[in-house]
Amino acid sequence: MQPRLIRLRDAAKYLGMDRNRFNNEVRPFLVTLKIGQQGVAFDRLDLDQWANEFKKHQGKPAQRTMCWQHHGMLTLLREKKHSALTKKTVDEEFQQLVDKLLEKKTNPSSHKAN
């Protein structure tokens, strides 16, 4: 379990940056919480929100996307969650699904028939 409040000394590490960058680019946008006489902390949820906004505005889109909404994939995931399928069975069914999807991508006419 992660703590809700993250001290100043750990906040920059939590976001994966050095302390100077944190102080210049992140800290001005956060609520500062005083802990004891000299302690300073930040709410982890605020840090996560800052990271999400940074990603939204500065992130580079992925080169490829995956379509997890495919009916067969959803069925497979439901079966895995709600039944006693063995890992081997799930892996085999997943591979069959991948093969089907790749076949549809390379052969557009098979997609129309389904």
Side-chain angles (χ1 to χ4, degrees):
M1 179 186 309
Q2 291 210 356
R4 175 73 185 263
L5 300 180
I6 299 180
R7 290 190 176 261
L8 174 60
R9 67 175 177 259
D10 300 319
K13 285 184 247 173
Y14 179 80
L15 292 175
M17 61 180 62
D18 66 71
R19 193 173 188 165
N20 288 332
R21 184 174 187 148
F22 175 83
N23 284 330
N24 292 329
E25 297 180 21
V26 181
R27 190 173 179 178
F29 300 99
L30 301 175
V31 173
T32 302
L33 303 166
K34 187 175 178 184
I35 297 180
Q37 294 273 336
Q38 298 176 353
V40 174
F42 304 96
D43 187 322
R44 178 177 42 84
L45 299 180
D46 291 345
L47 294 170
D48 290 344
Q49 185 178 359
W50 182 90
N52 288 336
E53 288 299 314
F54 182 77
K55 177 183 170 185
K56 188 187 325 181
H57 296 289
Q58 300 295 323
K60 179 181 172 189
Q63 291 179 357
R64 298 182 71 182
T65 59
M66 295 186 71
C67 181
W68 291 101
Q69 280 69 39
H70 188 273
H71 176 71
M73 181 65 70
L74 289 174
T75 302
L76 178 64
L77 292 173
R78 281 190 205 107
E79 286 177 2
K80 181 179 177 186
K81 184 176 181 182
H82 297 294
S83 73
L85 291 175
T86 64
K87 182 177 179 350
K88 182 178 178 186
T89 304
V90 171
D91 288 346
E92 289 170 353
E93 288 185 17
F94 182 79
Q95 187 58 52
Q96 289 172 356
L97 239 164
V98 169
D99 293 343
K100 265 188 192 178
L101 290 171
L102 290 175
E103 180 183 338
K104 285 183 181 180
K105 189 172 184 169
T106 58
N107 187 1
S109 62
S110 68
H111 182 65
K112 292 176 186 171
N114 291 332

